[in-house]
Amino acid sequence: MLTLNNFDKAFENRIRLQVMSVLVANESYDFNSLKELLATTDGNLASHLKALEKEDYISVNKSFLGRKPNTKYSATSKGTAAFKKHLEALENLIKQQKN
């Protein structure tokens, strides 16, 4: 029997799912690199990052490289755990479809 309890609504959006995939696989990633990698706009990416930050799934580190602002994002331990739980739920859904 399929249960949707382990699916996390924070990861229903493709961009948020991609952001978490990148951040779980890397120590951190900066805004412009994420934007380029995911081929999205500033505003679109910023809104999805804010949603993940609100859930405490990512942390934000703002700094300057010379005179240029640089914003880096990292997955929190809470975010990593939630993401892995979500992936397990997806795997279970796939396995149930094979039976």
Side-chain angles (χ1 to χ4, degrees):
M1 172 91 177
L2 175 63
T3 174
L4 299 178
N5 293 343
N6 290 333
F7 287 96
D8 192 321
K9 290 190 87 51
F11 306 128
E12 283 182 353
N13 180 278
R14 173 186 65 85
I15 292 179
R16 289 194 293 265
L17 191 65
Q18 289 174 317
V19 165
M20 285 305 293
S21 297
V22 171
L23 296 181
V24 166
N26 296 278
E27 187 175 318
S28 67
Y29 232 78
D30 68 67
F31 184 88
N32 287 331
S33 297
L34 274 173
K35 184 178 83 167
E36 188 176 312
L37 180 68
L38 304 181
T40 187
T41 64
D42 285 12
N44 197 10
L45 179 58
S47 68
H48 290 298
L49 289 167
K50 190 160 290 293
L52 291 170
E53 185 183 2
K54 185 177 174 188
E55 294 290 331
D56 197 30
Y57 286 174
I58 63 171
S59 62
V60 182
N61 180 8
K62 294 181 182 252
S63 63
F64 283 88
L65 293 175
R67 302 183 110 192
K68 282 182 75 175
N70 185 31
T71 306
K72 285 193 174 187
Y73 299 89
S74 302
T76 63
S77 54
K78 178 182 177 183
T80 300
F83 185 68
K84 288 181 179 177
K85 188 175 177 182
H86 185 77
L87 291 182
E88 286 172 14
L90 288 173
E91 273 185 59
N92 289 335
L93 175 63
I94 293 166
K95 287 175 186 171
Q96 288 177 5
Q97 302 310 308
K98 289 183 178 181
N99 295 332

